[in-house]
Amino acid sequence: VDTRKPDVEVAPASVDFGFAPSGGVALGSFVIRSTGTNDLLIDRIRVEPGDAPFRITTSTPTPERPGALAPGAQASVSLRVELAESATGTVAANVIIETNVLEEKNVLGEPGWVQVPLRAVANLPPVAVAGEDLTVDPWSRVTLDGSLSYDQDDPPDEPLSYRWRLVSTPGGSTTELERARTAFPSFWA
């Protein structure tokens, strides 16, 4: 009688992408470990629900051919979340790993299944409001006003940070933007 048994462990137990840019991509990963005394057979790896914005991008073994892990071996699974440009709030899904483990793991009623919760918070970019157009005399100090800029998220991410830069200047100009990381930068025209 062969008394060896497969077992599985996943680390970390969940993947939190944190803030992910709306209209952009964020990456994450986890590891599947064979912690038993017999080969761990991975029958299937998938994301549920299927229409979630999360995708398995690479894994060793692959999602299509999960394969076997000898006792003590591990497989890395890479993930990505790609959020729509209009996405807001928290998005969640689960990676389901089906294995040959005989005991129930963290999916009730499904022996050998392991669920890895996925979470991301869609983060819309802030809207930069640079203030009114200004016409100034040469050799005068110009102060810009970005204080009406705001974050589109609900609730908004506070506080906003600023990073202004001069895109172009007249030939021969040596002006520099002062306090470029505040809502009120200034320069000499």
Side-chain angles (χ1 to χ4, degrees):
V1 175
D2 187 354
T3 59
R4 298 176 304 155
K5 292 166 56 171
D7 206 353
V8 61
E9 180 183 288
V10 175
S14 64
V15 179
D16 188 345
F17 291 82
F19 285 109
S22 297
V25 172
L27 305 174
S29 66
F30 64 90
V31 172
I32 302 169
R33 293 189 180 106
S34 176
T35 58
T37 55
N38 202 355
D39 287 354
L40 172 67
L41 302 179
I42 302 170
D43 299 322
R44 187 172 172 200
I45 303 173
R46 68 182 185 284
V47 175
E48 280 190 357
D51 63 348
F54 300 93
R55 297 289 171 262
I56 297 170
T57 56
T58 62
S59 66
T60 52
T62 67
E64 299 78 25
R65 303 186 67 99
L69 293 174
Q74 66 182 31
S76 177
V77 178
S78 297
L79 306 161
R80 72 186 267 153
V81 59
E82 187 167 355
L83 300 171
E85 286 187 21
S86 60
T88 61
T90 300
V91 293
N94 295 296
V95 170
I96 303 295
I97 306 161
E98 297 177 28
T99 73
N100 67 328
V101 174
L102 300 175
E103 293 84 29
E104 196 172 273
K105 298 311 273 183
N106 66 355
V107 179
L108 293 176
E110 296 293 347
W113 286 25
V114 178
Q115 175 176 282
V116 181
L118 307 176
R119 178 185 174 277
V121 178
N123 191 23
L124 293 168
V127 174
V129 179
E132 299 293 321
D133 288 348
L134 300 172
T135 302
V136 297
D137 293 323
W139 309 109
S140 61
R141 180 174 273 303
V142 177
T143 300
L144 305 173
D145 182 356
S147 64
L148 295 179
S149 299
Y150 61 94
D151 186 33
Q152 300 181 75
D153 291 312
D154 186 19
D157 303 323
E158 298 291 347
L160 289 179
S161 60
Y162 297 85
R163 185 169 46 186
W164 298 74
R165 67 183 174 95
L166 294 172
V167 176
S168 65
T169 58
S173 172
T174 59
T175 194
E176 291 185 18
L177 199 54
E178 299 170 16
R179 298 185 325 271
R181 294 194 177 263
T182 70
F184 301 98
S186 64
F187 63 95
W188 286 99

